[in-house]
Amino acid sequence: MLLQEHLLSLKNVNVAYVIAQNTVNTMDEIETGFDRLMQKIDELHTKEKSLTATVKENDARLLKKMSKSAVPVVNVVGLNMLRMGKQDTKGEIYDPAYYPQKMIILGKADPAGFRPDNPTKEITDQFCVLSEDGDFFELMYSFDGFLTDSFLNPIDARKAIEVYGYDVMFMLYRAMHDYLEGEEKLVGALETVLDYIFARVK
């Protein structure tokens, strides 16, 4: 009887040992799997940082190319923006003069301290616009209580992003998406890039 109990006890010890070994092996596999997962995450983060840097290095080039592709859109939906006009007591503009080229508005920023053409004139409103030639400008308005006049300040794509942010790129994409016909592949590719920019960079 004692022998049987002893053998049973040894059997239980062996079972316990096997269970313990299996548990250790399972834990080792979990640890190994976890380490691999963390390594994969680190690799993705590294790749993401690299992609983000690449996007930021090339964002101005992309915006410039977009501006040239968007010329047909500006010709269709662009407006002749107010260059100068008098304002009556009700705030209505009369005797208006307009810029000859069409433009679309892409963004608005806090006004700069003064107008580049005349430092004595305070800027009341400041917009980023794209002309029908595919060029970027800052449209700066001043108002002295009677006369509204403006200055069209040429800027490059880099300055447009720095002052007005990636909203400029998004607004230009929206205009191309809505009005540029026959360029579905181009617009689709831009959508992919902008999704990445707005998700990762902004």
Side-chain angles (χ1 to χ4, degrees), residues 97-117:
Y98 297 93
Y99 286 100
Q101 70 265 48
K102 290 181 178 180
M103 308 176 200
I104 57 173
I105 296 176
L106 299 177
K108 184 176 182 179
D110 293 332
F114 57 87
R115 271 180 28 186
D117 65 321

Side-chain angles (χ1 to χ4, degrees), residues 21 23-24 42 56 67 80 95 99 119 139 160 186:
Q21 278 296 104
T23 302
V24 169
D42 289 340
K56 292 183 77 171
S67 71
N80 294 102
D95 290 339
Y99 286 100
L139 182 54
L186 171 63

Side-chain angles (χ1 to χ4, degrees), residues 2-199:
L2 288 174
L3 180 59
Q4 286 181 341
E5 289 178 0
H6 182 65
L7 290 174
L8 184 60
S9 175
L10 287 175
K11 184 179 179 182
N12 289 339
V13 168
N14 286 335
V15 170
Y17 175 76
V18 170
I19 291 173
Q21 278 296 104
N22 288 338
T23 302
V24 169
N25 291 339
T26 302
M27 289 303 295
D28 286 344
E29 290 174 7
I30 291 172
E31 286 290 330
T32 302
F34 181 75
D35 289 342
R36 286 178 184 166
L37 179 62
M38 291 306 297
Q39 182 181 354
K40 200 57 141 177
I41 290 172
D42 289 340
E43 288 173 2
L44 288 173
H45 283 170
T46 301
K47 184 178 179 182
E48 182 179 294
K49 289 175 183 176
S50 174
L51 287 172
T52 300
T54 301
V55 169
K56 292 183 77 171
E57 286 170 6
N58 292 280
D59 54 5
R61 283 182 56 205
L62 174 61
L63 183 60
K64 185 175 181 180
K65 288 190 174 189
M66 289 174 66
S67 71
K68 299 307 178 185
S69 298
V71 165
V73 175
V74 182
N75 286 324
V76 171
V77 300
L79 302 172
N80 294 102
M81 303 296 293
L82 179 71
R83 182 174 65 83
M84 183 184 299
K86 299 172 184 176
Q87 191 167 321
D88 62 22
T89 54
K90 296 180 180 178
E92 299 291 330
I93 298 289
Y94 64 97
D95 290 339
Y98 297 93
Y99 286 100
Q101 70 265 48
K102 290 181 178 180
M103 308 176 200
I104 57 173
I105 296 176
L106 299 177
K108 184 176 182 179
D110 293 332
F114 57 87
R115 271 180 28 186
D117 65 321
N118 188 341
T120 65
K121 289 193 173 184
E122 182 180 350
I123 302 170
T124 54
D125 287 297
Q126 179 175 322
F127 304 93
C128 178
V129 298
L130 180 69
S131 75
E132 61 188 17
D133 295 323
D135 298 320
F136 293 102
F137 293 91
E138 290 180 301
L139 182 54
M140 300 171 165
Y141 284 103
S142 299
F143 179 61
D144 63 6
F146 173 69
L147 180 70
T148 294
D149 74 330
S150 64
F151 175 66
L152 201 58
N153 184 40
I155 58 173
D156 59 16
R158 168 56 57 204
K159 182 71 178 291
I161 292 174
E162 288 175 353
V163 176
Y164 299 90
Y166 283 110
D167 287 352
V168 172
M169 193 176 282
F170 179 73
M171 291 301 292
L172 185 52
Y173 159 75
R174 286 302 310 173
M176 295 171 71
H177 178 274
D178 293 343
Y179 299 102
L180 191 61
E181 296 182 0
E183 295 290 349
E184 290 79 9
K185 288 185 179 179
L186 171 63
V187 173
L190 287 174
E191 182 177 13
T192 300
V193 173
L194 291 184
D195 281 345
Y196 184 84
I197 289 175
F198 277 83

